[in-house]
Amino acid sequence: MTLSEETTELLNAAAQAAADALAEDLVAIDVTGVLPFSDAFLIVTADNPRHLSGVKSGIEDDVHEALGRSPRVEGDQNSEWLLLDYGDVAVHIFLREARDFYALDKLWNQAPRVNITEVSTTR
């Protein structure tokens, strides 16, 4: 399947914000047609709980500034996994141990990956 231009723009904005917040191991997955509630996943890793919170805030702030969109947030400051649900894009922010345990990358290994290699760590 192909992501819409709007979904691609949101995915890229979220990925750039995550990279700017120094998140690691960014993976974008196209789940269009597979899931009824989302078109893409962005999965990223944070080093520690404070970094997890910083990545969350960075994505929320940058996406809102760029696109005027705000997510529904699942999880809290004590979580090992936060979900920013933008509807068409679900951003999963994990601590390393939780990402390894839940293994969403492996769970969705049959779904196409979206190229986000042009996301840079500097603006």
Side-chain angles (χ1 to χ4, degrees), residues 40-117:
F41 288 167
L42 176 64
I43 305 169
V44 306
T45 302
D47 293 329
N48 55 57
R50 189 172 184 165
H51 187 216
L52 186 98
S53 179
V55 172
K56 171 194 166 286
S57 295
I59 294 170
E60 285 179 307
D61 293 348
D62 289 1
V63 168
H64 189 267
E65 182 180 320
L67 304 174
R69 294 189 58 179
S70 298
R72 183 181 56 117
V73 178
E74 296 289 335
D76 61 28
Q77 64 188 13
N78 299 316
S79 298
E80 296 179 334
W81 174 9
L82 295 174
L83 172 69
L84 304 181
D85 185 355
Y86 287 95
D88 48 344
V89 174
V91 180
H92 301 268
I93 310 167
F94 286 100
L95 294 181
R96 170 64 53 208
E97 299 80 21
R99 184 165 179 177
D100 291 344
F101 179 80
Y102 291 104
L104 291 187
D105 307 63
K106 291 179 185 175
L107 181 65
W108 294 101
N109 67 353
Q110 298 299 316
R113 298 305 194 249
V114 178
N115 185 0
I116 54 171
T117 58

